[in-house]
Structure formats: C-alpha cells, structure tokens
Amino acid sequence: MLEGSADIKDVPYQRVRDSPTLKFYSSWEKYESGMGEPVGIANPIINERMLRGAELVELRPDGSYRGSLEEESPSADLFSVTEGRILAKHLMSLKSSLKLKVNDRENRRVEIIYLAPEAGSSHHHIRIDVGRGSSAEIALISSARSSEGVPITTMEAFVGEGSKLRIWRVSVFEREGLPISWLRVSGRGASEVEVRNVLLGGGASFASDEISLIGSKSAAKMNSFLMAMEGEKVDHLTNISNNSPGSNASIFVNGFNFGGVLVHRGKLKVTREALESENKLSSIFYRIGSGSKTYSVPSLEVEGDFAVSASHETSVSPLPEIVLFYMKSRGLNEQESLEVMVRSSLSKVLEGMDGDAIEKVISEILLRAPSGISP
Amino acid sequence: MKVEGKAELLDTISSSSEAAAFSPRYEKAIEIRGKVDRSLVEEISREKREPEWMLRVRLKALESYNKLPAPNWLSGVDELDLDELIHYLKPDAALARSWDDIPEGIRRVYESLKLPEAEKRALAGISFQFESETVYLGVKRMLEEKKVIMVPMEEAVIRYPDMVKQYFSKVFPYAEHKFAALHTALWSGGVFVYVPKGVRIPQPIEAFFFMASALEGQFEHTLLIADEGSELQFIEGCSAPMYKRYSFHDGMVEIYAHKGSKVKFVTLQNWSGNVINFNNKRAVAEGGAYVEWLEGSVGSKVTYVYPSTILKGNDSSTSIYTITISNGKKLKDTGAKVIAIGKNARAKLVSKSISANGGKNVYRGLVRINKGAMNAVVASSCDSLILDGSSSSYTYPHNQVEEDTASITHEARTGRISEEQLFYMRSRGLSEGEAKSLMVLGFMEDVLIDVPFEMASVLNSVVQLEFSKLGGMG
C-alpha cells in the first residue's frame, strides 16, 4: 500500500475544495513546509499521567517507541496514499505500525505519550483491534513547548460486537507547533465508540476523527473542546457515517476563540441502513479575544426516511449576555464567569481521566488564556 | 410592501404546467448553434447590433469560460453537451407592446399562462421572453409617469450605456465561475429596470421566460437598480414544454439596492422536467437597504441556484427564503449566501426542502462575516422533509466569521412524515395521499408565516399543485 512514491507530487492536498471563498480551511502548505527529518525532542507541556493504572506507551520523534504494543511492518487498512499529499507523505514515512490488540472479553487501558520533535516531522501509525464483548480506553497525549515540529499520527480502530472503545486525544501546543492526527474507527453491532478531544493551540493543529457504524444498535459519540489564542489555529474534523439500525450518533464541539483561528467541519451521514437511528451534530463557539476567525461547517447527509431524527446546529458569538448576567447575579465577574464556562466544558471532555491530572491540565489551559483567566 | 392581484398570480403559476403541455408553432428568424467560441459570440453580438464595448465584455467572459475549470461537485449534467445546443434563437416576431401584435402561435402561450389578465389586474409591468428574445413588453403608464425605466436588456445597452456599464457583471462578475462566464459570453434577453430615487412601485413587475425548443440554451440577463429610498417587487416565472431531449438555462440576475431602498425578488421556477437549470443571482445592498429573495424551485431536471446578498452598507439587511421540491428523479442543488461587509448587518436565511419519489435536495449555504462588519447578526435555518426511502437530503452550510462582535446561528433538521400523525389523519377519513399533502403543507407553514400573506398563498398553491400527485404515492 505504500507503493508509488514517485506519484506523491501529483496527489492534491485534498480532493475537494472546502469553500467557495477559501481555497482550503486546512493549512496544508504550512504542514508540508515543516516536514522533514526529525530533530530533537521538544519539552512536553503535560507531564502528568492522565489515565491512572493504564499501560504506558511512548512514541518518539525518530519513529521508535517504548511500551507493550506489537510492532509490524507498515500497513494501514483505513487510509490510502491517494487521499491527500500530507497523508501520503506520512504513510510513506512510517517505519512500522504499532498494534494494540484487546482480546474478547478483555479490558485494556493504555496511555500513549507522543513526544514531538523540536523540528521536522515524526510519523506513527497505531492499529487497535477490540475483540467481542471487550472494552478499551486509550489516551493519546501530545504536547510541546517551543516546537516547530510536525508530529503526525494515524490511528485506526476496529471495534467488535458488543464492545466499547473510548479514546481521548489531548493536544496542547504552543504557537509554533504543527501537530496532525487522523483517527478512523469502524464499529460493529452493539458497539459503543466514544472520542473526546482537547485541542489547544499550535500554529496549526489538525485533528480529524471519523467513525463508521455498521451492525445494529451501535453508538458513536464525539465531544471536543477547542481553544486558540492569537497566532494559533485549531482545525478539527468530526465525521460519522451511520449505517447502523437503532443506533445513536452524536457530535458536540465547544470552542473558545481568544483571537486565533478555529475551524470545525463536521459531517453526519445517515444512510438507508440506519433505520430508526437518532443523529445529532452541534457546535458552539465563543469569541473572546479580538481578531479571531471562526469557521464552522456542520454538514448533514440523510438518505431515505428511515432515521428517527437527524439534525445539526451551530452558533458563533461573543459570550452570551444572558449567561454573563446570570453569573454576575451569582457574584462572578466576567473573567470568573468565563473560567467557569471553560472549566465546565473541559471537565465534561476529560471526565473519566485522573482527577489530579485533569486539574493540572485545566490549570495549564487557563494559565495560557490571555488577560487574566486565572486558574 | 403588498402584492396585489393574488388570484391572477395564482392563475399564472397554476397554468404554467398547462403551457408546458404543448409545443407552440412559430417561425424562426435566426438560429445560432454549435461550439462556443469567438466566432459564435461575435455572431450573436452582430445579430444584436450591439456596441463594441459589450462585445468586448462578451469576449472577456469567453476567455474566462475557456480558462475556468468546471466545478467538480456538479452532478446530473452528464448529458449536457454545449456544442450541440442552439445558443441563440430569435423568433420571427418584433418586440410588441400589444398582445394582439404577437404571432398567434406565441400568443397562445401567454393566453394559456393567463398573463394578459394578470397584467391588467395585478402587474405594474410585464416582460415576456420567448426563446432568446423579449417579444412582449407591457409598461403601465404609472411607471412611465414615475420615470421608471423598464426595457429589454438589449435596449438598455443601446439607450442607457453608462448605467449598464456601471452595473452589468459588476454585481456578479463573470470570472467567478465557469457558468457565470458562459452566461455573460452568450447572454440574450432579460429585462432592465431602474427605479428612481424615492419611487415606490405598489404592484410587482413580472418577467416570464419560455423555452419552446429542445436542445436550446437560454441565457437571459436581468438587471435591477433601485435608487435611494425606492421600492420594487419583481416576480420571475418560467416554463418549457417537455421534450425527449434536454434544454439548458443559464440565467443571471443582478440587483443593486441603493441606500434605503427595498427590493423583493420572487422566483417561481417551474421548468419542465428535462431542463438543466443554472441561475446566478446576486444583490448588493447599500446602507439601510433591504433585499428579499424568495426562491421557489419546483420544476426542472437539475437546478443549481443560490440567491446571494452582499450587505455592503451599514444597517443593510436581507432575507432569503428558499423552497425546493424534488419530486421524482430530480436534483435541486440550491442554497443561500450572505456576505456582510457593513456594520449592523442583519440577515435571515430560511430553507425548506421536500424530497419525494427518489428526489434529491442539496442545500449549500455561505454566511461570511468580514472583518469590520461589526454587530452583524445572521440566523439561518434549514429544514428538510423526506417522504420515502428512495429520496435524500444533503446540507452543507459554511459559516465564516471574521468579526468579533458578530453573532451567527445555523440550525437544520431532516425529518420524515410521522406515522402517528398519518394514522390520526387517516382515522379522520383522509386518504393517505391527502394526509401526506396536508402534512407537506404543514411542514411549509412556518416558512410561509415569514413571507407576506399574498406570496405565501402563491407558493402554497404551487406546492398543492405539485403534491396533488401524492395520492398516487406509496
């Protein structure tokens, strides 16, 4: 599958342009110019363990790793080099694929720490197989100070019948960082797939999550928290293809924009197989700093009259007056109100992780917010 | 603003299907067909005896057409082969100011559409385009007294060149996409309306477009200029007979609403089921101006139309209502676009779509708030109803906010007919078809509430006409 390197230059950044007025929402040129041989290891921002008692895996910029995963020759079933140039370059640069296997009726918790390069690009691919009646909780933690590197991950997961998979992705970068992460999950009957994201900063952070549900009575849930300061960009995709009868699919994205660029594109595709399913996509973005840009593209594709419900909604606005008024009447000033809102949103996404670590991550995020959102 | 003569307008709409049932006999004066190239464009320009500057505009547009790529998201247009089309077809009929002066074969079309009665009772002016040329223009004395200019577009090019140069292809530049460029290179027909400062026209102006031939391209250009503080309502309708082969429509509407003016543009598109329909529609609203689009898209095989408003001036506003029905193997790719530039801009976008019998509806929206468009507020909603398992609905709204003080919301829902409601209605003695028709109208009701009563009635009737066929469903 990694053949054809000579043709990479002919692969477009992406097959279809995003918008009639913007060429692309994603900063493909920026990523491409940052790619190259990895240099050094950047200082991580998050040093705490986020999943108490979980197995630890460490991904290193040179493509090596430490931990208990199986190592295989590079392969990816859910990604193709023809999809886009950056993805193709990543797949062609893989030294190996890591495999995480969760046997039938087994429970596994794994925390993956991705150490970013100071410059250049690093490449890792992880395949997750969750057997029948099993459960897996996986946290992918990536953070870096003063890194100009492009740490790239592809993850693909296959979730067996009656199994549960929960994935956290915590990505905190200072404004030079250019992290990229693609996640694709295939969930079979009666499976539950949950993906939660905390995406903060980076000169351009790109995180794409896609879930495909097949079999009956499955569930897919995505919940993301995005935040960008001045000079930062967070670019997030959340797509669910629902082919599962009696299923439930939901996407929720909450963004706080302190003068940076936030992009969210989400698509809910409800196919003719998704009989009596419920589907919802919603996003709320608050603009707090000046000079912010927010792009929201919530898409809905519905085939046939088989779903019980299919809806999407989005809003982009300053902090709502009614919320501020309510908080004020409880004795909180504007900054404290904002902190409550950020903390509340983050807590929902990080719920299930270690309490002390959550508090440290929240404190770090609040510290980075401009003009006095104090921890 | 009030639309008078509701009954007559209803008649016009309801009889467009009747008009489509026959193919009128008429004499052709000129027919230009074949590959779209420089010589073809020059030939059209020569036949129209238009000034050199307009030929230059056409040729520049042709250059853009040749350079621009075809949009890669188009579907349903595989059979479109521009080289086999008649691009300009002039009937052997001079522009008439009286219905009696029109050749009988063509006059029968108007009569079946009941346009003469509508003109008498409800309209301030009417323009009728047959194939590529305007063959009838009726302007009431009231418009002349108020110094309103209403002439065929070709006449405006000759008589009012400065005004045409100022606005033509400036609101919707031809270089924006391939089909806009094609339109500008080949444009023929359409109407030019200028409403002077402070003039309010109480009755609407209507333009009706008829394509009588298969493998024909129609490229009419409508340019409306509402000067400061003026008010104008414009209705456009269309029809074509059903042939075995397709026809192609690539029209353009440009509206310039000066300070404090109000323009309401209503389209009731009821092309026959083998027309490939592109329509390029855009308005610019200056300070305090208001532009309203009401796009009722019922007919055609494939339609691509996205009424758009650029809110250029401070305190300008727009409402864009789109109602689309895809009944049968049809594609409606529609939507609405708003670009806010001025301060305190307001916009409301409402879309309702119904898909039945394998029909497909696509909504593409753009809300763009530029930096500096302070306090802009935009609300958009998009509801789709799918009536069976073979139909589908797709929604792609782009919201681009670059101004800190702006607020936008978008919501969309795709639903189906509730079995409980259907059961309830059937237990009251309604057939399944009647019950479904009622529910479709109920689904439309909340958008029709936002539309002035008279226009809501017209649209209501169009929907009833289309879905009277529902009795035969499922």
Side-chain angles (χ1 to χ4, degrees):
Chain A
M1 73 117 199
L2 299 184
E3 292 172 358
S5 59
D7 299 325
I8 275 192
K9 63 178 183 345
D10 298 327
V11 178
Y13 283 129
Q14 59 187 52
R15 293 282 167 193
V16 179
R17 286 183 179 181
D18 277 308
S19 157
T21 54
L22 292 178
K23 194 177 177 188
F24 302 121
Y25 286 118
S26 300
S27 305
W28 299 122
E29 293 92 343
K30 208 169 186 176
Y31 297 123
E32 190 166 36
S33 65
M35 291 174 81
E37 281 301 308
V39 178
I41 299 177
N43 281 332
I45 294 170
I46 299 170
N47 291 299
E48 294 74 26
R49 294 285 301 273
M50 300 291 294
L51 278 187
R52 186 170 287 174
E55 302 164 46
L56 186 65
V57 173
E58 193 176 89
L59 308 179
R60 304 178 73 83
D62 61 2
S64 66
Y65 86 106
R66 277 199 319 209
S68 55
L69 305 184
E70 295 171 35
E71 191 169 9
E72 296 178 335
S73 57
S75 68
D77 288 333
L78 300 182
F79 297 94
S80 159
V81 291
T82 60
E83 291 179 51
R85 198 186 308 168
I86 305 301
L87 178 63
K89 285 191 170 185
H90 164 68
L91 293 173
M92 304 290 287
S93 304
L94 288 173
K95 289 182 177 166
S96 64
S97 292
L98 301 177
K99 189 171 179 183
L100 169 62
K101 186 164 173 55
V102 184
N103 296 318
D104 292 355
R105 289 173 294 285
E106 187 186 18
N107 300 330
R108 247 179 123 169
R109 301 177 88 225
V110 179
E111 181 169 350
I112 303 167
I113 311 288
Y114 192 152
L115 297 170
E118 288 175 336
S121 54
S122 56
H123 305 273
H124 289 280
H125 176 76
I126 302 165
R127 178 190 171 105
I128 302 160
D129 284 300
V130 183
R132 292 182 177 190
S134 311
S135 85
E137 289 188 326
I138 296 160
L140 175 63
I141 314 296
S142 182
S143 66
R145 295 186 197 281
S146 307
S147 162
E148 296 173 357
V150 190
I152 308 181
T153 334
T154 38
M155 285 176 85
E156 55 187 8
F158 301 86
V159 185
E161 287 179 14
S163 295
K164 293 181 183 177
L165 171 65
R166 180 187 283 175
I167 294 176
W168 286 274
R169 184 199 279 121
V170 177
S171 170
V172 181
F173 280 76
E174 289 189 340
R175 70 176 56 171
E176 299 83 6
L178 301 167
I180 298 176
S181 178
W182 280 281
L183 167 67
R184 287 181 181 162
V185 183
S186 171
R188 293 197 167 271
S191 61
E192 290 178 31
V193 180
E194 191 174 355
V195 179
R196 301 187 191 179
N197 282 289
V198 172
L199 305 172
L200 172 61
S205 294
F206 177 86
S208 165
D209 297 330
E210 293 172 282
I211 300 173
S212 172
L213 291 181
I214 50 175
S216 63
K217 294 186 177 169
S218 296
K221 192 174 178 183
M222 293 177 173
N223 191 345
S224 297
F225 173 93
L226 319 181
M227 194 158 140
M229 313 298 162
E230 189 182 346
E232 297 178 343
K233 176 179 180 180
V234 175
D235 179 4
H236 188 33
L237 266 83
T238 56
N239 297 340
I240 297 177
S241 174
N242 190 355
N243 311 277
S244 169
S247 59
N248 195 307
S250 72
I251 300 170
F252 178 71
V253 176
N254 197 182
F256 290 80
N257 196 339
F258 291 86
V261 179
L262 286 185
V263 181
H264 171 243
R265 282 162 289 169
K267 186 196 286 180
L268 255 179
K269 183 179 178 72
V270 185
T271 68
R272 291 190 168 84
E273 283 73 39
L275 299 164
E276 304 302 316
S277 61
E278 294 184 34
N279 308 273
K280 184 169 187 178
L281 187 167
S282 51
S283 55
I284 301 172
F285 298 95
Y286 298 119
R287 295 188 324 281
I288 295 102
S290 62
S292 62
K293 294 180 179 179
T294 306
Y295 306 110
S296 168
V297 188
S299 305
L300 192 58
E301 298 185 349
V302 183
E303 296 173 347
D305 65 339
F306 304 112
V308 173
S309 64
S311 65
H312 69 214
E313 59 191 15
T314 186
S315 72
V316 183
S317 68
L319 285 176
E321 289 293 330
I322 191 163
V323 172
L324 293 175
F325 178 80
Y326 177 84
M327 301 275 199
K328 218 170 186 177
S329 70
R330 265 62 186 166
L332 300 175
N333 64 28
E334 196 165 315
Q335 283 179 8
E336 289 164 335
S337 303
L338 182 58
E339 184 189 326
V340 168
M341 291 174 73
V342 170
R343 186 176 282 276
S344 155
S345 181
L346 268 170
S347 299
K348 282 179 201 157
V349 179
L350 296 172
E351 187 188 356
M353 301 183 106
D354 182 83
D356 292 341
I358 290 174
E359 193 49 45
K360 282 182 181 168
V361 169
I362 290 177
S363 298
E364 171 66 35
I365 286 171
L366 292 173
L367 265 175
R368 297 188 68 211
S371 62
I373 298 184
S374 55
Chain B
M1 297 168 87
K2 192 179 176 189
V3 175
E4 294 175 358
K6 175 183 72 179
E8 286 73 16
L9 292 176
L10 280 173
D11 278 349
T12 300
I13 300 311
S14 61
S15 51
S16 65
S17 308
E18 196 184 317
F22 71 90
S23 170
R25 289 184 180 175
Y26 69 99
E27 295 296 321
K28 295 171 185 174
I30 300 166
E31 190 177 283
I32 299 173
R33 63 165 75 218
K35 188 174 167 54
V36 180
D37 57 15
R38 188 183 178 96
S39 64
L40 184 137
V41 170
E42 285 173 341
E43 192 179 353
I44 291 173
S45 181
R46 198 163 47 245
E47 290 298 342
K48 288 179 172 295
R49 298 193 179 102
E50 62 189 19
E52 184 65 24
W53 64 266
M54 180 51 82
L55 175 61
R56 283 201 300 272
V57 173
R58 286 181 187 275
L59 292 174
K60 279 184 186 170
L62 179 67
E63 268 178 45
S64 289
Y65 167 75
N66 288 328
K67 281 181 194 163
L68 288 164
N72 59 5
W73 42 266
L74 287 182
S75 65
V77 295
D78 299 341
E79 66 180 320
L80 177 61
D81 177 3
L82 289 171
D83 293 351
E84 67 174 343
L85 292 183
I86 305 165
H87 300 292
Y88 177 72
L89 204 172
K90 184 179 180 179
D92 190 12
L95 176 64
R97 305 273 175 177
S98 159
W99 294 106
D100 296 333
D101 295 339
I102 303 168
E104 190 190 350
I106 299 174
R107 195 171 65 237
R108 278 185 56 209
V109 177
Y110 309 135
E111 287 165 356
S112 69
L113 290 165
K114 298 179 180 160
L115 284 172
E117 295 104 285
E119 183 193 12
K120 264 185 223 163
R121 297 187 190 173
L123 301 172
I126 185 166
S127 153
F128 190 99
Q129 176 160 338
F130 191 85
E131 310 290 31
S132 301
E133 290 287 340
T134 303
V135 293
Y136 175 79
L137 188 81
V139 181
K140 284 197 175 159
R141 185 176 295 169
M142 173 258 294
L143 289 188
E144 290 170 350
E145 286 170 355
K146 293 186 173 189
K147 298 194 177 351
V148 173
I149 300 169
M150 179 182 169
V151 293
M153 199 60 222
E154 287 83 352
E155 193 177 324
V157 170
I158 307 290
R159 288 177 59 191
Y160 308 102
D162 291 344
M163 249 197 290
V164 175
K165 280 180 192 171
Q166 191 178 346
Y167 299 101
F168 187 94
S169 198
K170 299 293 193 299
V171 177
F172 203 130
Y174 55 76
E176 284 204 11
H177 64 77
K178 197 170 187 73
F179 288 96
L182 178 71
H183 163 87
T184 307
L186 301 179
W187 78 268
S188 180
V191 64
F192 172 87
V193 178
Y194 168 75
V195 187
K197 280 184 187 176
V199 170
R200 295 178 181 188
I201 307 174
Q203 291 177 311
I205 289 172
E206 178 164 356
F208 202 94
F209 305 98
F210 195 88
M211 273 194 285
S213 308
L215 292 176
E216 177 194 348
Q218 192 176 65
F219 304 92
E220 89 287 347
H221 193 104
T222 298
L223 175 56
L224 310 181
I225 303 158
D227 214 330
E228 291 182 18
S230 64
E231 289 188 10
L232 166 67
Q233 303 165 65
F234 194 96
I235 298 171
E236 68 168 9
C238 48
S239 188
M242 191 78 180
Y243 286 106
K244 284 183 184 169
R245 299 297 308 275
Y246 67 96
S247 296
F248 177 57
H249 176 255
D250 184 13
M252 184 175 280
V253 176
E254 296 185 287
I255 298 173
Y256 204 97
H258 283 273
K259 284 181 184 172
S261 63
K262 289 183 182 176
V263 180
K264 191 168 284 187
F265 195 97
V266 180
T267 300
L268 293 159
Q269 183 269 102
N270 201 16
W271 291 119
S272 59
N274 54 1
V275 172
I276 295 171
N277 176 40
F278 284 78
N279 216 331
N280 310 281
K281 296 182 169 178
R282 185 174 297 165
V284 172
E286 290 275 15
Y290 172 71
V291 175
E292 182 174 311
W293 298 94
L294 176 57
E295 180 77 30
S297 200
V298 182
S300 81
K301 178 188 177 192
V302 184
T303 281
Y304 292 94
V305 62
Y306 319 94
S308 313
T309 306
I310 297 172
L311 297 169
K312 186 181 173 193
N314 295 343
D315 304 305
S316 55
S317 57
T318 190
S319 300
I320 305 177
Y321 302 96
T322 54
I323 296 175
T324 58
I325 297 170
S326 282
N327 191 4
K329 295 284 181 191
K330 310 283 169 57
L331 167 66
K332 297 281 161 54
D333 198 315
T334 65
K337 296 179 185 179
V338 169
I339 298 172
I341 298 170
K343 293 172 185 167
N344 307 316
R346 296 285 181 273
K348 178 181 180 181
L349 283 59
V350 181
S351 166
K352 291 273 182 182
S353 74
I354 300 160
S355 310
N357 293 318
K360 194 185 278 187
N361 275 298
V362 180
Y363 174 88
R364 291 179 207 275
L366 172 68
V367 173
R368 181 173 176 82
I369 313 294
N370 280 5
K371 182 80 189 153
M374 292 169 68
N375 306 316
V377 179
V378 180
S380 60
S381 69
C382 191
D383 290 342
S384 307
L385 184 63
I386 300 177
L387 296 186
D388 52 65
S390 61
S391 304
S392 51
S393 168
Y394 305 86
T395 314
Y396 306 108
H398 288 254
N399 303 289
Q400 306 175 348
V401 185
E402 300 190 350
E403 166 55 44
D404 297 314
T405 55
S407 292
I408 68 153
T409 58
H410 172 92
E411 57 181 26
R413 219 171 296 116
T414 299
R416 60 183 180 180
I417 280 184
S418 143
E419 290 296 329
E420 289 80 12
Q421 287 174 345
L422 198 59
F423 177 76
Y424 176 84
M425 288 189 175
R426 294 206 67 181
S427 71
R428 262 56 185 168
L430 296 176
S431 70
E432 187 175 338
E434 288 167 335
K436 282 182 174 176
S437 295
L438 263 184
M439 278 190 269
V440 168
L441 287 170
F443 168 75
M444 311 283 291
E445 193 177 7
D446 56 329
V447 70
L448 297 180
I449 281 171
D450 291 317
V451 175
F453 175 75
E454 295 85 348
M455 290 184 189
S457 302
V458 173
L459 268 169
N460 208 338
S461 298
V462 171
V463 172
Q464 269 178 328
L465 272 170
E466 187 66 20
F467 283 90
S468 58
K469 303 162 195 165
L470 275 177
M473 285 178 62

